Amino acid sequence: MNEITVINKNVIAEIENNGASNIIKPLQKETYLTDLYLYNVDECPVTRLVKIKKGDELTLKHEETLCDKLNVSAYTADGVRVGDLSDLVNDVYARLLDAGKILKATVACCGFSPENSFVKIAVSLVDF
């Protein structure tokens, strides 16, 4: 039972300098779920919306509202609410978020005008 274990010093140096996340990241797997248009985008100020571009990552959060206990909203990195997911999929994504799953939302396309604005996102499940 007394065995010699050889430890790669490069791995130890990487963990000490940058943490273990860089070593675990290659094991990360993303599963594409669907593309969705966000609702209530018109409630976000156009001055904030025009800063959003294709490829930006949005954070999905489950938030209970008076009308919908399973509401899921999308936020920019600086905490600005962009819009909400459809009521048709809220229950699924709200439960995934409540279970501690990581959902990644990436802006697939967007368009902004005072009359009509839209944001389409690609949603993926991040798993290890």
Side-chain angles (χ1 to χ4, degrees):
M1 286 282 178
N2 294 337
E3 297 178 15
I4 298 174
T5 305
V6 178
I7 299 174
N8 186 338
K9 292 186 182 195
N10 293 334
V11 173
I12 294 172
E14 179 70 25
I15 292 172
E16 287 175 350
N17 294 334
N18 301 316
S21 64
N22 288 339
I23 295 188
I24 295 172
K25 239 180 195 164
L27 305 175
Q28 189 173 357
K29 184 176 101 178
E30 286 184 22
T31 305
Y32 168 79
L33 299 176
T34 189
D35 284 345
L36 300 169
Y37 284 96
L38 294 178
Y39 288 83
N40 300 326
V41 174
D42 54 338
E43 293 177 12
C44 183
V46 177
T47 55
R48 295 289 190 137
L49 283 175
V50 295
K51 294 179 181 179
I52 298 171
K53 59 188 180 305
K54 183 178 178 178
D56 285 355
E57 287 193 24
L58 302 177
T59 303
L60 297 179
K61 293 182 183 177
H62 174 203
E63 301 175 327
E64 290 187 20
T65 64
L66 293 174
C67 301
D68 188 3
K69 292 185 185 260
L70 297 173
N71 184 55
V72 177
S73 299
Y75 289 84
T76 61
D78 57 347
V80 176
R81 186 177 150 277
V82 178
D84 303 315
L85 272 59
S86 165
D87 291 341
L88 299 173
V89 295
N90 268 350
D91 56 343
V92 174
Y93 292 121
R95 289 187 175 112
L96 284 170
L97 290 167
D98 289 347
K101 299 295 182 183
I102 301 170
L103 295 177
K104 178 180 171 185
T106 306
V107 176
C109 63
C110 51
F112 311 108
S113 71
E115 301 83 31
N116 185 22
S117 297
F118 71 92
V119 177
K120 183 178 181 182
I121 59 171
V123 181
S124 300
L125 174 68
V126 180
D127 206 2
F128 292 96

